[in-house]
Amino acid sequence: RVLTMALVEDGAAMQLPSKTRSRVHASTVDPSEPPLKIQKAPTLARADGNYFPIGELSVHVRRWVIRARVVHVAPIRKFANRASGQQESLLAWELCDSTGKLRCVTFRGTAEKLAPVLLEGVAVLVSLGKLKVSRGALEAVLDESSIVEPTTDDVGLPYDCYDVCPIAKLSQREVGSLVDVAGVVLSVEDGGHYLAQGKSERKCKVFVADQSMGRVAAHLWAQLADACTKLEPGTGLLLTKMRISAYGGLGLYSTQESKLVTIGEHPDRAQRWFASAKPDRDSFRAVVDDVVLPVGNTVEAMAKQDQALLAGTVARNALHGMLVVTVLQVRIDVNRPPWYLACTEPVPAMEGTRECNKKVQEGRCGAGHECENPNVRYSMLVEFADHTASFWAMCFDQAAERLLGCSARELFDRMRSEEPEATLSQVIHALVGQTVVVNVKRCIAEYGGRGIERRIVAAGAATASAHAAALLKLLE
């Protein structure tokens, strides 16, 4: 076997001769044989400066040498290999030149050797890596045969390469992809603690707004959550390497590579994202307090996506979309109120426990739990429309509460103490005709015939500024 290994020593790339062959195991090497000599590999530097631009790389490019700057190095991560059962290492880092950025990953011994010498801000020459597509982005996998060579030629290389996405356009990005977000802190909520590998870690939720009139909840874990305790409303914030998630509504979740940067911590790299914004806490609150990520999608476009999902041409289990729509009608009556009695029995969840929430009839829920004091939760069918088409969707507790303006328990008590029909008519009359922003989740339903099931997972009042932004997007 040909044994090659790339090392970085004292600023120079080192490589074992490719002609060296390992004849026997290291423990049985004959002492009389001369030791292997490590020689300097030929430098990757080119006098003409003609390197391969990152923006032109693809999986079809086999031989390439890039000159780029290290802009991000994640902590080395340990994990158990399911196939071998051994503990392995993973090091992820990111390169950037004037044409784009490239994520690099290394495993096992190569990761251990590169971790101490890869520093953010250093310019390097990289070659002999395998290119592949991961989560919609190009990625380079480096192994023992790859070469990483520091260089002093960093002319024209940017010091940062943020993929800052306007919050109002997050719904247009692919779920699961990584983005950077720059904005202003609206509020911070402590999420308590959770167990991770036997250790108690903190989690918190930070609500961030920007000038796109969008607001999003960023869920931070472990060390990032600890740093959130110092954040105050109005602080300029930059969150990097956040993963887009549609679980419980569109949101951002921190990853192993995520970082939290404020203007005070790193002014030379973060100030540029806030220089033009001139953030003011009160003005941001006035714009985005009741807006949930308005975008210019239409009901007609959503219906075409649903048909593709039903036909199997979309490789997804579910789709999400943000719409600015008008409430046409609500399908309820006195015999079928917009709420149901929900079981409060604790059941296992992804994090700890949650309430069962199954419908309670005659003191017992569908899961067999006996419930003497059930909760009241919304469940109503609503028709929405815009200028292109209309659709029906189910609204459950939180989304319905935002639409109706009162909790299910409050409406339940009012219907018991007042005239039920008049109370229900008054609440529905106030909702019909309202222009709202909704996050619609669509998935394939098999019961009652194969079709598309639509559910409102988030809703909010569309302010004049939000509605105008959506209409402007349509005109563009």
Side-chain angles (χ1 to χ4, degrees):
R1 297 184 305 173
V2 177
L3 175 65
T4 58
M5 180 183 296
L7 302 172
V8 178
E9 274 189 8
D10 299 329
M14 309 293 289
Q15 187 177 37
L16 290 177
S18 59
K19 295 182 180 180
T20 303
R21 298 178 182 275
S22 56
R23 304 177 182 87
V24 291
H25 192 271
S27 61
T28 62
V29 172
D30 188 351
S32 63
E33 291 187 5
L36 297 178
K37 294 182 179 180
I38 297 180
Q39 66 181 24
K40 277 194 176 183
T43 179
L44 297 175
R46 298 182 177 180
D48 57 1
N50 188 20
Y51 300 100
F52 214 103
I54 290 179
E56 297 181 12
L57 288 175
S58 71
V59 293
H60 306 293
V61 179
R62 300 302 179 190
R63 303 184 64 178
W64 48 270
V65 178
I66 60 173
R67 180 180 67 93
R69 192 184 301 278
V70 181
V71 294
H72 180 78
V73 181
I76 194 166
R77 184 160 61 93
K78 304 287 186 179
F79 66 96
N81 189 319
R82 295 183 179 180
S84 63
Q86 298 179 352
Q87 191 83 355
E88 296 196 4
S89 305
L90 180 146
L91 176 65
W93 40 296
E94 192 169 73
L95 299 173
C96 180
D97 66 7
S98 59
T99 66
K101 61 181 181 178
L102 178 67
R103 185 175 185 265
C104 302
V105 292
T106 54
F107 297 91
R108 295 180 285 278
T110 310
E112 300 287 351
K113 291 180 175 66
L114 285 177
V117 296
L118 278 177
L119 301 176
E120 293 185 3
V122 174
V124 293
L125 303 176
V126 182
S127 183
L128 300 179
K130 181 181 178 181
L131 298 174
K132 68 172 186 177
V133 176
S134 176
R135 293 185 179 274
L138 197 64
E139 181 179 277
V141 180
L142 306 181
D143 55 21
E144 294 87 349
S145 62
S146 304
I147 299 177
V148 179
E149 178 182 341
T151 179
T152 57
D153 181 14
D154 62 352
V155 178
L157 296 179
Y159 279 89
D160 49 49
C161 194
Y162 298 134
D163 181 22
V164 174
C165 176
I167 294 178
K169 295 183 178 181
L170 284 175
S171 60
Q172 300 175 11
R173 294 291 188 96
E174 182 180 357
V175 174
S177 61
L178 298 178
V179 296
D180 303 332
V181 170
V184 175
V185 176
L186 295 180
S187 61
V188 179
E189 295 182 3
D190 187 2
H193 291 76
Y194 68 101
L195 288 178
Q197 297 180 352
K199 295 173 57 179
S200 178
E201 301 282 4
R202 181 189 293 272
K203 61 180 178 180
C204 75
K205 184 189 298 184
V206 181
F207 290 92
V208 183
D210 66 1
Q211 280 192 309
S212 66
M213 295 184 300
R215 178 183 66 176
V216 68
H219 302 262
L220 307 179
W221 315 84
Q223 295 180 352
L224 292 184
D226 293 335
C228 290
T229 58
K230 303 177 183 178
L231 294 178
E232 296 182 357
T235 303
L237 185 69
L238 176 65
L239 292 170
T240 67
K241 305 293 181 186
M242 300 292 291
R243 191 173 304 284
I244 299 177
S245 172
Y247 179 75
L250 197 65
L252 298 174
Y253 286 78
S254 63
T255 65
Q256 294 280 350
E257 305 173 30
S258 299
K259 285 189 176 181
L260 184 153
V261 183
T262 63
I263 297 179
E265 291 178 338
H266 213 322
D268 57 332
R269 296 180 64 181
Q271 182 71 38
R272 70 185 64 186
W273 300 109
F274 308 104
S276 60
K278 298 178 181 178
D280 176 77
R281 178 182 61 189
D282 296 331
S283 62
F284 266 88
R285 283 184 181 277
V287 172
V288 303
D289 228 12
D290 291 321
V291 179
V292 184
L293 307 178
V295 295
N297 296 341
T298 65
V299 176
E300 185 178 38
M302 182 186 71
K304 293 180 180 179
Q305 295 175 357
D306 293 348
Q307 291 301 318
L309 178 66
L310 195 60
T313 57
V314 179
R316 300 272 291 278
N317 295 326
L319 294 174
H320 289 75
M322 307 297 299
L323 298 171
V324 177
V325 290
T326 301
V327 179
L328 292 186
Q329 58 177 314
V330 182
R331 187 179 294 175
I332 53 176
D333 53 45
V334 176
N335 297 325
R336 193 350 187 137
W339 45 260
Y340 71 98
L341 299 181
C343 177
T344 57
E345 184 72 17
V347 296
M350 294 180 62
E351 300 174 13
T353 61
R354 63 170 180 83
E355 292 185 351
C356 173
N357 288 334
K358 289 188 177 295
K359 187 174 182 179
V360 174
Q361 291 181 321
E362 298 180 357
R364 185 182 294 271
C365 77
H369 303 137
E370 293 185 0
C371 185
E372 297 181 357
N373 299 308
N375 194 11
V376 184
R377 291 176 59 87
Y378 279 120
S379 174
M380 62 183 187
L381 190 61
V382 183
E383 185 181 16
F384 302 93
D386 65 2
H387 65 287
T388 62
S390 64
F391 69 98
W392 289 89
M394 286 297 300
C395 294
F396 290 97
D397 203 44
Q398 295 182 351
E401 183 174 335
R402 292 294 300 272
L403 292 176
L404 295 175
C406 63
S407 67
R409 172 62 69 177
E410 292 174 358
L411 181 58
F412 176 76
D413 293 339
R414 285 179 58 185
M415 291 182 66
R416 294 180 63 183
S417 61
E418 304 173 9
E419 181 64 30
E421 187 173 353
T423 302
L424 192 59
S425 175
Q426 180 182 3
V427 172
I428 300 305
H429 180 75
L431 174 62
V432 173
Q434 292 277 346
T435 299
V436 295
V437 183
V438 294
N439 183 354
V440 190
K441 178 181 178 181
R442 296 101 70 198
C443 59
I444 297 177
E446 300 291 347
Y447 51 87
R450 196 167 188 268
I452 296 295
E453 177 186 282
R454 298 182 179 93
R455 179 180 299 184
I456 306 300
V457 296
T463 62
S465 57
H467 199 191
L471 294 177
L472 179 61
K473 182 67 177 178
L474 290 174
L475 293 175
E476 292 175 350

